[in-house]
Amino acid sequence: MTLDFLRRVLLVSLLFNYAVLLAWFLTFTCARSWMQSLHGRWFRLSDSGFDALHYGGMTLYKIGILLFNLAPLIALWLIRGS
């Protein structure tokens, strides 16, 4: 496995994960009532609990993207420069 291949894989993964995060955010903001009714079938969540759960989930997902995709990609780009 070459460094160029690894860089491309990390870049594609980064873009895919940000697309998932963006889709989650747009669904949450545009179709919040639908999501809440869907999740309300399985879980009893208050409005604030529902919001906090999704906000926290998006935060953890974004931190995961930064740690597992962006940071290694930047490190590989820096290796190329030296």
Side-chain angles (χ1 to χ4, degrees):
M1 181 181 323
T2 65
L3 288 179
D4 286 332
F5 176 74
L6 192 54
R7 281 186 206 109
R8 276 184 266 150
V9 168
L10 285 171
L11 183 61
V12 169
S13 178
L14 178 73
L15 295 174
F16 176 78
N17 281 302
Y18 265 112
V20 169
L21 184 63
L22 182 63
W24 186 359
F25 174 75
L26 290 175
T27 304
F28 182 72
T29 56
C30 297
R32 184 183 175 281
S33 60
W34 172 77
M35 284 177 66
Q36 192 166 17
S37 68
L38 179 69
H39 292 144
R41 295 178 190 170
W42 302 302
F43 309 106
R44 288 187 182 188
L45 293 171
S46 65
D47 287 345
S48 61
F50 180 78
D51 293 343
L53 182 69
H54 279 277
Y55 182 73
M58 283 187 260
T59 302
L60 287 174
Y61 194 76
K62 187 171 183 176
I63 290 171
I65 293 170
L66 295 174
L67 287 175
F68 297 117
N69 293 135
L70 187 61
L73 183 60
I74 291 172
L76 289 175
W77 276 337
L78 291 176
I79 288 173
R80 181 181 182 185
S82 57

